[in-house]
Amino acid sequence: MSHHLKEQAIGYLRSLEKADWDSARSRCAGTAAVWHNDGTAEQGIEENIRHMAAQVDAIESMRYDVIRQFARPGEVLQQHVVHVAMRNGMRGEVHAAVYFRFDDAGLITRIEEYAGFVPAGGDEAADDSGA
């Protein structure tokens, strides 16, 4: 079962890479919650996907490289790097540790993402916090 959950987590990321929101959504329970370490409130999966979809036009390309995964029954913890190229020329990486929790059907019920953006080549980091 843990191998299936690892594949489910990676499949979710591959759906995000392709901006295939329906596929990403289909891997999640309708009540799935998403939390990020950016200080914003926890989101439902629908709100989270709407937020990502609203940003997709600014993104030229995005690729997730999974560094490692650990699985236990109903849970996957992974480290990954998201390589991001923006249409405005900014490049960088998002280094993240992500926790996925799953229900008995193998659907994602919770995502917790601890992430930080690292600009490439001296680009200024995009920071929505206003700091």
Side-chain angles (χ1 to χ4, degrees):
M1 178 69 164
S2 64
H3 181 71
H4 167 72
L5 297 182
K6 288 179 176 182
E7 289 177 354
Q8 185 74 325
I10 290 174
Y12 176 78
L13 301 179
R14 298 295 173 241
S15 297
L16 299 181
E17 284 177 342
K18 297 183 280 185
D20 185 346
W21 313 122
D22 290 336
S23 176
R25 194 179 288 110
S26 74
R27 295 173 183 279
C28 299
T31 58
V34 181
W35 176 88
H36 296 94
N37 67 315
D38 61 3
T40 59
E42 185 172 285
Q43 300 174 316
I45 192 64
E46 291 297 328
E47 181 182 358
N48 186 256
I49 287 176
R50 274 194 306 274
H51 179 73
M52 288 186 287
Q55 297 179 36
V56 75
D57 287 342
I59 299 172
E60 180 180 308
S61 67
M62 179 173 67
R63 185 183 80 250
Y64 287 82
D65 286 335
V66 176
I67 307 301
R68 64 181 53 93
Q69 285 184 308
F70 304 95
R72 295 184 352 178
E75 301 176 308
V76 171
L77 178 65
Q78 73 180 35
Q79 177 187 4
H80 63 238
V81 176
V82 188
H83 303 273
V84 181
M86 304 300 288
R87 294 194 190 284
N88 68 3
M90 186 177 68
R91 304 286 186 264
E93 299 173 339
V94 178
H95 293 250
V98 182
Y99 168 79
F100 293 92
R101 186 171 60 214
F102 297 85
D103 64 15
D104 291 339
L107 296 175
I108 298 166
T109 61
R110 184 165 184 80
I111 301 170
E112 295 180 11
E113 182 176 49
Y114 302 83
F117 180 77
V118 178
D123 290 343
E124 290 297 317
D127 185 354
D128 295 333
S129 69

